Amino acid sequence: MARHEMTGNEMSYYAEGGIERHQYDVVVVGAGGAGLRAAIAAHEAGANTAIVCKSLLGKAHTVMAEGGIAAAMGNRWPEDNWEVHFRDTMRGGKMLNNWRMAQLHAQEAPERVLELEDWGALFDRTDDGLISQRDFGGHRYARLAHVGDRTGLEMIRTLQQRAVQIGIDVFMECTVTDLLQDRSSGEGRMAGVFAYWRETGRFVVIDAPAVILATGGIGKSFKVTSNSWEYTGDGHALALRAGAKLINMEFVQFHPTGMVWPPSVKGLLVTESVRGDGGILKNSEGKRFMFDYIPDFFKAETADTEEEADRWYDDKKNNRRPPELLPRDEVARAINSEIKAGRGSEHGGIYLDIASRRTPEFIRKRLPSMYHQFKELADVDITAEPMEIGPTCHYVMGGVEVDADSQESAVTGLYAAGEVSGGMHGSNRLGGNSLSDLLVFGRRAGESAAAYVAGLGEARPAVSDEDLRAGQWSAVAPFSVDGGENPYSIQHDLQQKMNDLVGIIRTEAELAQALEEIEQLKVRAKSMSVDGHRQYNPGWHLALDLRNMLLVSEAIAKAALARQESRGGHTRDDFPGPNPEWGAKNLVVSLADDGESVMLNPQPLPPMPDDLKKFFD
Amino acid sequence: MAYNLKMRLWRGDKSGGELKDYDVEVERGEVVLDAIHRVQATQAGDLAVRWNCKAGKCGSCSAEINGRPRLMCMCRLSDFEESETITVTPMRTFPVIRDLVTDVSFNYKKARQLPSVELPERKPGEKRTMMQEDVERGQEFRKCIECFLCQNVCHVVRDHEDNKEAFSGPRFFLRFAELDMHPLDTADRRERAQQAAGLGMCNITKCCTEVCPEGIHITDNAIIPMKERVVDKKYDPLVWLGNKIGIRNKDNDGRTPV
């Protein structure tokens, strides 16, 4: 029997219809931080585990994470502990977070970081030789374990090397297009996944009773984004189609600092560490404007003079934090307002200045990737001149609704971890809480999935032939249309509309218009056609991804239209400010009966126990 | 600022192919990958190209641009004359899958053969201690984004297919050096680097260092020190004597050969 070059997996060429067939206990979809951590946990718990990922191993979007992993290890500030981290996370999310997820996250993050070190990660150190921790927005203490400004790369490489070492099978450049369910029982338990190899276009079916979605986010539906091409909302859409639910989809994080020039790099992330390490924001008049944008909610803990703000870096006990380090939603809105008021920079951003505040040696040591990125791509020396930056679509707080402890969705055997899951970050995520989220909940998902499979015994759910035929038919449909529309132009129009109508500041009229536009795009997408054949054909791949992008974009726009308040990553010009009634509920998105659109239901937040409530008195 | 760029892109698959000409509208602030994406979106929807982050961080879009191995996302159009034709071909050392995409599975096979880090047990809650100057040596090597350009230009395998079996290549010599310089690691992999990974086949022409987009000093900081350590172990009578009388090379002190 032939073996696949990359994975070493056996390939059954003789299988009917050219479909490869494999059997595993647990399949993880996605090989970023959450997927790799989940796979390691499932494997170590004894489950026969496979990872399926759209790109080569080690290229997932996690590599782009820069700043660090938030974990209350107390290496710099012994006063720090999980309770403070929990409080910061809940306040950063404007109290809309799933309290249990926020609690588990704060409690378990330190051990997850130490575990990475056991597996070979080399973090930057404190003078005492412990893991160094840096300041970030919304975190009361310096809390982010980091490696210069390339922490995500370190995390991916460490997990990748661990996964390879323990022998987990990886299906690289393989895209999952359908989740397969056992329909016989009526409840639709997970039975496997349907996928295709990007290289050959050949179809693959993996029978597995447990599937963990770790597909990341949705940023590629927006024009200006820090996200890589893979971020097409696959997991969100797969979960909806399988009958799971999404929550908090209206909350999309626009990172305050993306590059704005040259056009080729517009949206590319500029790490929050620049501000954590002393960088400040200025408008075209040279004014440090963030002092004008301190909301009441954070007044008590934010410095109101430049002198106090500058003293804070060295003396956190007697000074309050600089307003540049407010949570991301606040800073992004402030920058947006300055640009709209005509005080923007030459290329439509504002200035981020660290050159006048720190020595060139310090900047090059602490921010080597940023130095390199601006030098190579924009001809800007950040040790000598300010950067031009503006908001960029960065992260979706919304995702699959899961049980906080097990990460299981409403569908038996379907789990979600990392950005594709929802609840943990409420309406706004703090910087650094993403990498720790991936580790904490990746591990939990892997362990729960393995335990579920172990409990099944021999009675495994079965994939139906009918579903296999449907999966094949649906995947090759774009080839059967002649002279239809080019998927690239539909994607281009979707990105433009989402950016213009569902962006950082929203209104009822624009959101309603966005929904109409999405309907039209869905019609156009039905008749799109692709050139060429199935072997490594990006046009075909995009055509399949677009279906997910459209469904998820609709979910975002619909939820954003319904939520008549401003909170975290959702700002309504027509409803400025938070509304306590909305603050008590999530919007739950599910697939409508037509199978092609979504519907919304409000649902009360899970009540927080009294022993945690006391942190917010 | 827009102008018309002439590009020649290799189109084909393992059965053969050819350079095809494209005219595409570009702007000076763009990079080669932008131009290729525009060709893809407007003229050749099935043009195969591998990419992810378009920010020089993931190492997916390696190719040969006017004969020079580069990342397409870090290669600015402003580095060329507007009238110049830009030719892009796939990496030569690896088999073509389609168009600009090559089969880099060689590297993933080699990665599976590598030894892993071996640290002493840690009790739950215990924190390991390492000093910054001791982790910095390994940190330089861990900047590697696995673009495999070093593997692509290494003449040991670029023109000698038969060497691939016995040779891991510069990317993986980095990994050996990183583990060897890890302040807490307990394994001695010198024998393995020399024998199984083919460290001895490298004759330090520094081609790998020249193409590294991360500026890692692959030859000077990783390969040469590794070679010296291997040689120390094999031939140095002082080391032999030191071992005999209990004074050992401190870098490999207490390490177990794996």
Side-chain angles (χ1 to χ4, degrees):
Chain A
M1 186 174 284
R3 286 188 169 271
H4 189 266
E5 289 273 297
M6 287 186 193
T7 63
N9 294 318
E10 290 179 353
M11 296 199 297
S12 44
Y13 283 103
Y14 56 83
E16 196 183 345
I19 299 187
E20 262 181 70
R21 195 96 185 224
H22 305 264
Q23 275 82 35
Y24 285 91
D25 295 333
V26 176
V27 171
V28 180
V29 186
L36 288 168
R37 189 64 190 83
I40 292 168
H43 176 95
E44 288 182 340
N48 187 17
T49 305
I51 298 172
V52 183
C53 53
K54 291 211 280 191
S55 293
L56 295 173
L57 183 60
K59 308 301 183 193
H61 191 57
T62 306
V63 297
M64 295 181 75
E66 292 163 354
I69 313 171
M73 297 191 285
N75 290 354
R76 280 198 189 276
W77 298 89
E79 299 89 334
D80 199 12
N81 58 44
W82 78 262
E83 293 170 352
V84 188
H85 191 182
F86 167 73
R87 180 179 182 274
D88 289 347
T89 300
M90 292 294 301
R91 284 176 59 82
K94 300 275 160 58
M95 306 304 288
L96 209 68
N97 319 50
N98 177 304
W99 65 266
R100 177 65 179 157
M101 290 175 85
Q103 180 190 28
L104 289 170
H105 166 260
Q107 288 172 333
E108 295 178 4
E111 188 56 28
R112 296 287 82 75
V113 172
L114 294 170
E115 207 168 61
L116 287 183
E117 194 167 68
D118 296 341
W119 297 339
L122 290 174
F123 290 101
D124 287 346
R125 319 306 297 182
T126 64
D127 292 342
D128 304 332
L130 297 173
I131 293 174
S132 171
Q133 300 194 266
R134 71 158 32 121
D135 283 311
F136 239 55
H139 293 283
R140 177 143 167 218
Y141 296 109
R143 184 182 282 151
L144 269 68
H146 60 97
V147 185
D149 52 4
R150 55 161 191 89
T151 314
L153 173 65
E154 186 71 11
M155 182 157 143
I156 273 279
R157 203 64 81 227
T158 303
L159 294 170
Q160 169 188 353
Q161 286 166 345
R162 176 77 182 165
V164 169
Q165 180 200 341
I166 60 181
I168 296 173
D169 289 336
V170 186
F171 292 63
M172 289 186 226
E173 297 201 317
C174 188
T175 305
V176 171
T177 53
D178 284 297
L179 298 179
L180 301 170
Q181 288 164 282
D182 187 335
R183 310 274 176 197
S184 62
S185 61
E187 57 168 333
R189 291 184 301 163
M190 269 300 117
V193 299
F194 187 92
Y196 66 88
W197 290 108
R198 288 158 57 77
E199 178 182 337
T200 57
R202 175 194 287 271
F203 295 126
V204 191
V205 169
I206 304 178
D207 296 277
V211 176
I212 300 174
L213 297 172
T215 53
I218 55 90
K220 265 297 163 195
S221 296
F222 289 79
K223 186 178 171 203
V224 179
T225 176
S226 65
N227 291 176
S228 74
W229 73 266
E230 296 188 282
Y231 266 37
T232 51
D234 297 2
H236 291 81
L238 289 169
L240 276 180
R241 292 197 191 102
K245 295 176 172 40
L246 310 181
I247 57 167
N248 293 345
M249 289 306 290
E250 62 274 36
F251 300 109
V252 176
Q253 180 167 80
F254 290 82
H255 194 290
T257 60
M259 290 176 80
V260 295
W261 184 260
S264 144
V265 295
K266 194 169 167 80
L268 191 57
L269 187 65
V270 179
T271 176
E272 189 165 331
S273 317
V274 177
R275 283 171 285 137
D277 288 347
I280 55 169
L281 298 166
K282 287 183 189 165
N283 63 21
S284 60
E285 296 161 3
K287 183 176 179 195
R288 191 172 166 183
F289 59 83
M290 277 308 298
F291 290 98
D292 300 341
Y293 293 92
I294 305 170
D296 289 341
F297 191 71
F298 291 108
K299 270 222 159 80
E301 58 204 71
T302 309
D304 49 17
T305 63
E306 295 195 22
E307 292 71 25
E308 181 182 358
D310 288 348
R311 284 194 304 265
W312 174 85
Y313 291 98
D314 300 315
D315 178 4
K316 292 186 171 49
K317 284 207 182 99
N318 299 308
N319 298 287
R320 293 170 298 174
R321 46 193 311 110
E324 280 86 2
L325 290 175
L326 282 164
R328 288 175 175 172
D329 52 330
E330 307 290 353
V331 182
R333 268 193 298 274
I335 291 172
N336 198 64
S337 304
E338 285 294 306
I339 297 169
K340 275 206 170 157
R343 295 186 289 270
S345 67
E346 184 189 350
H347 299 109
I350 52 99
Y351 297 104
L352 172 59
D353 174 27
I354 192 166
S356 72
R357 307 201 12 114
R358 297 288 183 265
T359 64
E361 295 71 37
F362 177 91
I363 297 168
R364 276 194 294 265
K365 169 69 198 141
R366 297 279 289 201
L367 304 163
S369 299
M370 286 304 106
Y371 176 74
H372 188 71
Q373 178 175 315
F374 273 90
K375 197 85 190 147
E376 296 275 320
L377 293 172
D379 262 334
V380 168
D381 177 357
I382 67 167
T383 68
E385 52 193 315
M387 297 159 247
E388 273 187 83
I389 56 89
T392 177
C393 178
H394 185 56
Y395 188 88
V396 62
M397 272 65 75
V400 182
E401 187 182 32
V402 290
D403 172 71
D405 288 72
S406 70
Q407 300 296 103
E408 190 172 24
S409 72
V411 177
T412 304
L414 181 64
Y415 302 77
E419 190 171 350
V420 69
S421 72
M424 159 68 206
H425 304 288
S427 68
N428 174 57
R429 175 176 69 80
L430 293 184
N433 271 1
S434 178
L435 293 187
S436 41
D437 168 11
L438 308 183
L439 294 171
V440 168
F441 294 106
R443 171 175 162 275
R444 282 187 162 266
E447 289 185 350
S448 327
Y452 162 69
V453 177
L456 279 178
E458 297 300 306
R460 297 212 164 188
V463 173
S464 74
D465 290 344
E466 198 182 321
D467 283 354
L468 291 196
R469 279 193 295 277
Q472 276 175 282
W473 177 85
S474 150
V476 296
F479 285 110
S480 59
V481 179
D482 275 333
E485 201 171 347
N486 175 353
Y488 293 96
S489 42
I490 299 176
Q491 183 197 32
H492 174 269
D493 291 353
L494 174 67
Q495 291 169 333
Q496 189 71 53
K497 295 297 174 199
M498 288 301 282
N499 227 74
D500 294 348
L501 305 173
V502 197
I504 186 165
I505 308 291
R506 301 159 171 177
T507 65
E508 181 172 331
E510 288 184 346
L511 291 166
Q513 192 196 335
L515 285 166
E516 283 171 28
E517 302 275 1
I518 292 168
E519 280 311 310
Q520 288 169 21
L521 289 166
K522 278 159 76 176
V523 172
R524 284 166 62 189
K526 277 189 185 153
S527 63
M528 67 190 157
S529 63
V530 295
D531 302 334
H533 50 71
R534 275 161 58 183
Q535 192 192 6
Y536 218 114
N537 185 339
W540 179 41
H541 304 163
L542 176 59
L544 297 179
D545 290 348
L546 252 180
R547 302 171 180 180
N548 300 335
M549 296 169 82
L550 287 164
L551 189 65
V552 171
S553 296
E554 181 182 329
I556 296 170
K558 216 164 206 167
L561 179 60
R563 185 173 282 273
Q564 296 185 331
E565 66 158 352
S566 293
R567 181 181 298 271
H570 170 65
T571 305
R572 285 283 297 263
D573 216 19
D574 40 357
F575 296 95
N579 173 332
E581 269 177 45
W582 276 106
K585 57 191 169 190
N586 295 125
L587 284 170
V588 179
V589 181
S590 51
L591 195 67
D593 291 338
D594 65 4
E596 295 178 354
S597 52
V598 299
M599 54 189 196
L600 289 179
N601 282 301
Q603 172 177 292
L605 285 180
M608 192 189 291
D610 290 339
D611 62 325
L612 294 178
K613 270 192 194 151
K614 66 173 189 246
F615 298 126
F616 306 97
D617 292 340
Chain B
M1 291 279 279
Y3 66 98
N4 211 46
L5 173 73
K6 291 198 183 313
M7 298 195 93
R8 308 192 76 193
L9 306 177
W10 195 87
R11 302 292 312 265
D13 54 31
K14 58 183 141 193
S15 62
E18 58 181 345
L19 286 169
K20 285 207 171 149
D21 290 304
Y22 295 92
D23 278 358
V24 58
E25 192 174 284
V26 294
E27 291 188 41
R28 280 193 72 78
E30 293 185 319
V31 294
V32 169
L33 188 56
D34 290 312
I36 287 180
H37 280 158
R38 199 157 302 125
V39 170
Q40 204 180 41
T42 56
Q43 302 173 43
D46 61 344
L47 168 63
V49 54
R50 188 184 269 138
W51 69 288
N52 272 51
C53 75
K54 204 160 89 68
K57 291 190 165 75
C58 76
S60 300
C61 63
S62 304
E64 304 195 0
I65 300 167
N66 288 354
R68 280 179 58 93
R70 314 262 313 250
L71 294 176
M72 290 186 262
C73 71
M74 296 299 278
C75 187
R76 291 159 58 178
L77 296 178
S78 55
D79 293 345
F80 302 86
E81 294 295 327
E82 289 186 6
S83 57
E84 200 175 338
T85 300
I86 297 181
T87 304
V88 187
T89 53
M91 286 192 284
R92 197 174 91 194
T93 303
F94 307 115
V96 167
I97 291 175
R98 189 175 176 200
D99 302 338
L100 301 175
V101 177
T102 56
D103 174 359
V104 293
S105 56
F106 166 74
N107 302 289
Y108 287 92
K109 266 185 222 148
K110 294 296 171 187
R112 282 206 302 273
Q113 296 162 4
L114 277 182
S116 53
V117 70
E118 302 279 348
L119 303 189
E121 282 287 303
R122 178 179 61 86
K123 294 182 199 79
E126 185 194 338
K127 293 175 181 174
R128 297 183 191 276
T129 311
M130 293 184 259
M131 301 316 281
Q132 181 64 35
E133 58 266 35
D134 294 328
V135 297
E136 260 167 26
R137 297 189 297 176
Q139 282 183 333
E140 181 193 359
F141 309 144
R142 289 182 72 84
K143 284 193 326 199
C144 170
I145 57 174
E146 298 201 326
C147 64
F148 306 127
L149 286 173
C150 59
Q151 307 285 82
N152 176 47
V153 294
C154 178
H155 63 92
V156 176
V157 283
R158 188 170 171 95
D159 296 315
H160 303 280
E161 187 65 29
D162 46 335
N163 282 344
K164 281 187 177 169
E165 196 57 40
F167 187 71
S168 296
R171 192 278 167 260
F172 299 107
F173 299 147
L174 274 187
R175 176 73 170 146
F176 273 102
E178 173 215 322
L179 294 174
D180 208 59
M181 296 178 192
H182 191 298
L184 299 180
D185 187 77
T186 60
D188 177 355
R189 304 173 187 79
R190 288 177 292 175
E191 196 67 32
R192 209 160 151 177
Q194 185 69 3
Q195 300 303 329
L199 180 66
M201 294 165 86
C202 162
N203 50 8
I204 51 175
T205 51
K206 293 199 176 184
C207 309
C208 51
T209 305
E210 273 171 36
V211 296
C212 178
E214 287 295 302
I216 302 171
H217 297 94
I218 305 174
T219 316
D220 289 349
N221 290 355
I223 296 181
I224 292 176
M226 266 319 278
K227 278 176 173 278
E228 284 170 350
R229 286 165 189 224
V230 168
V231 170
D232 276 354
K233 181 175 159 64
K234 278 170 72 179
Y235 305 118
D236 191 338
L238 275 179
V239 172
W240 175 84
L241 181 67
N243 275 329
K244 277 285 179 212
I245 61 173
I247 309 165
R248 303 181 57 177
N249 175 343
K250 70 173 166 49
D251 272 320
N252 291 290
D253 194 21
R255 293 184 179 222
T256 318
V258 290

